[in-house]
Amino acid sequence: MDDEIHDTPFDTDIIVVGGGPAGLTAALAAAQTGWRVHFMAPEPAFEDRRTSALMVSTLSFLERLDVWPHCSSAAAPLCTMRIVDDTGRLLRAETVEFKASEIGEEAFGWNIPNAALTHRLRDLFEVHPRITRHNTSVASLSLRDDGIAVVADDGMRVKGRLVIGADGQRSRCRAAARITTREWPLDQAAIAANLEHERDHGFTSTEFHRPPGPFTLVPLPGRRSSLVWVETKDRAEAINALDDEAFAREAERVAHRILGRMRVDGPRGMFPLGGAVARSFAGNRIALVGEAAHVMPPIGAQGLNLGLRDVASLLDSIARCGREDPGSSSVLSHYDRDRRADVWVRVGGVEVLNRSLIAGLVPVQAARAMGLAALRGLGPLRRAVMREGIKPHLSLPTMMRDRDDRRRPLGGERRP
Ligand SMILES: Cc1cc2nc3c(=O)[nH]c(=O)nc-3n(C[C@H](O)[C@H](O)[C@H](O)COP(=O)(O)OP(=O)(O)OC[C@H]3O[C@@H](n4cnc5c(N)ncnc54)[C@H](O)[C@@H]3O)c2cc1C
C-alpha cells in the first residue's frame, strides 16, 4: 500500500484534517491564500450549541476571510467584563469591571454561537474552487520524503505536501507525527447552556469566581446569554441532571439574580475539563492547530482564539519559508518556534487562575485577591491587561492585524 502511495502524484498542496472551527478556518484561509486544499472530516453528528467569545484580532481574521460580515448578526458585543469574587472566603476582592471604552475600543470581542460561525465557513467551502471536500474520517497517515499520504476510513487516499491536523483532543495527526503531549486531568466539568432572561445584560459579561470554578454569563443578542458553569465533576453531573426548570432556578440563585428570571433555551452540554499541550506543534509534514495542539478549561475565552491564532500564524510561516513546499522542515520549525510563547502564556494563565480558585491555601487566596485589587485600582495595569486581551503582543499574525490598522466597525449587534 505504501508503494502505491509513493507512486501517486500530488493530489494537492495541503490536506486539512478535522471539521471543527479550527479546521474549517484553516482550510478556507489556506485556499484563499492560493493553495489547493483537500479537506477531510466526517459530517458533524450533532450541532455544537456552544458559543465563543472571539477577540477583535480573531474577528479581523474572520473579516478578512469574508466570514464575519455574514454571521455577525448572530453575535453580541462584549463592552464590559465584570469579575465578581464569589468565593465567600475571608480574603476576597471587590468586584472588578473592565470597560472596552477605557482603551478606546467599542468592545473586547463578540460572542457568537459556534453553529453560526461554522455554517458560514461551510457555505464558503461549497463554492471555493480550490477546496475539495471529503466527508470522511482519516484512518492513517504515512510520511514520504517529498510528501505525506492520508488514507480515509473508506479507503480513499490523498497525497499532499502538508497536513494541517485540526482533529481535536484525541488527534490522530498528532500521533502520526509522533508528537506526545503534557496532560493534566482536572476534577472539573463545564456545563454549557443558552438562557433567556428577564433583565438586559447591558452587553456586560459577568464572571462569578467561585471555589469549584467560574460561573460565566456572556451576552447574546436580545435578552439572552450563554452560560459556562464550571463545577466539580460530581456536582456538575448532579446539576446537569436537573430538568430545565430546576436548572434555571439554580442558575438564577448562583447568578444572584442579576439577570432576573431565567429560562433554558435549547439543549445543554457537559464537558469534562483538563489541560494538555503538545510537546511540539509540528513535525513530519504535519502542523497541529486548535485543540490538537492545546486544550484548556473554558476560562477567559481563550481556546478558540488561540486555535485561530495557530492557523493565522501557520500561514505566516508558510508565506515566509514555504512558497515552494508548505510542508518543508523550515516551515514547520518556524511555526513551532512561533507558537510556543503564546500557547504557554495562555495555557499557564488559565491554569493559574483556575487553581487559585480551587486552592484552599490562604497565601494563594491572598495573592489572588491582591491581584484583582491591583487590577481594580491601577489604571495603567488595567489598560495593559485589557490591551493584551484584545491584541496579544507576543504574536499577532499578519492576517489578524487588519482591523487594528484600519479600525473599521465589525458589525454584530450594537449597543443601543
Ligand atoms: C463550554 C466551553 C465553552 C467555550 N467557550 C469558548 C469561548 O468563549 N471562546 C473561545 O475562544 N473558546 C472557547 N472554548 C474552546 C473552544 O470551544 C475550542 O477551542 C474549539 O471548539 C476547538 O476547536 P477545534 O476545531 O480545535 O476542535 P474540535 O471542535 O474538537 O474539532 C475537531 C474535529 O476533528 C474531527 N476529527 C476527529 N478525528 C478525526 C479524524 N480521524 N479524521 C477526520 N476528522 C476528525 C472531529 O469530528 C471534529 O469535527 C470553549 C470550550 C468549552 C468546552
Side-chain angles (χ1 to χ4, degrees):
M1 181 176 84
D2 282 352
D3 285 344
E4 281 175 45
I5 288 169
H6 194 43
D7 293 342
T8 315
F10 288 109
D11 302 301
T12 188
D13 304 308
I14 295 175
I15 303 165
V16 176
V17 180
L24 290 164
T25 308
L28 186 66
Q32 288 193 4
T33 45
W35 298 102
R36 291 173 306 148
V37 175
H38 276 235
F39 172 79
M40 299 174 84
E43 282 291 339
F46 51 86
E47 187 161 273
D48 187 348
R49 294 273 310 165
R50 287 175 294 175
T51 70
S52 291
L54 300 177
M55 297 173 193
V56 290
S57 50
T58 304
L59 300 179
S60 300
F61 185 27
L62 295 173
E63 185 188 40
R64 207 169 173 144
L65 300 178
D66 197 30
V67 172
W68 184 246
H70 298 270
C71 56
S72 62
S73 58
L78 311 179
C79 303
T80 303
M81 298 178 91
R82 182 193 294 142
I83 299 177
V84 181
D85 187 335
D86 201 16
T87 54
R89 289 169 179 153
L90 199 58
L91 295 168
R92 60 176 187 267
E94 286 183 57
T95 296
V96 188
E97 271 195 8
F98 301 95
K99 289 188 189 300
S101 56
E102 287 179 61
I103 51 167
E105 292 286 342
E106 181 187 3
F108 293 108
W110 267 256
N111 188 34
I112 184 163
N114 288 6
L117 179 63
T118 51
H119 284 167
R120 173 62 188 158
L121 285 160
R122 286 203 193 94
D123 285 350
L124 288 171
F125 263 55
E126 303 298 341
V127 294
H128 204 293
R130 279 190 292 272
I131 299 179
T132 307
R133 198 175 154 171
H134 309 280
N135 293 332
T136 174
S137 285
V138 164
S140 65
L141 301 94
S142 56
L143 181 70
R144 293 285 158 238
D145 291 342
D146 59 344
I148 184 160
V150 176
V151 181
D153 271 353
D154 59 8
M156 188 220 32
R157 293 163 194 173
V158 182
K159 189 174 174 188
R161 292 186 183 275
L162 170 70
V163 166
I164 302 182
D167 49 346
Q169 298 189 18
R170 303 273 149 251
S171 170
R172 196 161 275 179
C173 295
R174 192 177 63 222
R178 298 207 171 83
I179 296 172
T180 56
T181 51
R182 290 195 188 109
E183 293 188 22
W184 52 100
L186 294 167
D187 179 33
Q188 289 169 300
I191 304 167
N194 294 330
L195 303 169
E196 289 174 359
H197 40 76
E198 194 182 6
R199 296 196 193 127
D200 284 338
H201 45 52
F203 301 101
T204 298
S205 137
T206 306
E207 198 163 293
F208 293 92
H209 283 189
R210 308 167 64 246
F215 172 102
T216 309
L217 290 160
V218 192
L220 282 169
R223 284 190 179 159
R224 293 167 60 244
S225 293
S226 56
L227 166 66
V228 177
W229 186 348
V230 178
E231 282 283 352
T232 59
K233 272 188 187 144
D234 288 350
R235 176 101 181 103
E237 266 165 30
I239 293 169
N240 204 35
L242 297 173
D243 64 28
D244 282 354
E245 187 60 30
F247 180 90
R249 299 294 79 75
E250 185 61 8
E252 285 166 16
R253 186 188 68 75
V254 177
H256 299 276
R257 299 189 170 75
I258 57 166
L259 295 176
R261 208 164 166 79
M262 292 172 166
R263 198 182 74 81
V264 177
D265 174 20
R268 295 173 248 148
M270 201 175 91
F271 302 83
L273 302 185
V277 178
R279 284 179 209 274
S280 161
F281 299 122
N284 292 329
R285 292 197 170 268
I286 298 172
L288 304 175
V289 299
E291 289 203 337
H294 42 71
V295 180
M296 68 186 93
I299 298 174
Q302 295 294 325
L304 184 55
N305 285 289
L306 194 60
L308 297 190
R309 276 212 295 290
D310 297 338
V311 173
S313 170
L314 177 59
L315 291 170
D316 271 357
S317 299
I318 294 173
R320 201 172 153 145
C321 334
R323 295 217 164 268
E324 300 302 317
D325 178 359
S328 67
S329 55
S330 52
V331 169
L332 299 186
S333 13
H334 186 274
Y335 173 66
D336 181 44
R337 273 196 314 275
D338 213 38
R339 293 310 294 142
R340 279 177 186 270
D342 190 22
V343 169
W344 276 109
V345 164
R346 304 291 150 181
V347 172
V350 166
E351 198 54 21
V352 166
L353 183 58
N354 190 28
R355 291 203 187 261
S356 74
L357 284 176
I358 305 169
L361 297 169
V362 172
V364 179
Q365 291 170 24
R368 209 186 125 271
M370 277 159 54
L372 285 175
L375 283 176
R376 189 167 184 273
L378 300 175
L381 178 65
R382 286 164 63 78
R383 287 190 286 278
V385 167
M386 286 190 267
R387 285 204 187 90
E388 180 61 24
I390 282 188
K391 182 183 172 186
H393 83 281
L394 276 172
S395 57
L396 197 62
T398 316
M399 289 184 101
M400 291 193 159
R401 288 186 200 144
D402 203 14
R403 190 204 171 220
D404 293 319
D405 299 340
R406 288 188 284 133
R407 307 189 71 76
R408 282 204 277 120
L410 286 167
E413 181 164 317
R414 290 296 192 279
R415 277 181 290 181

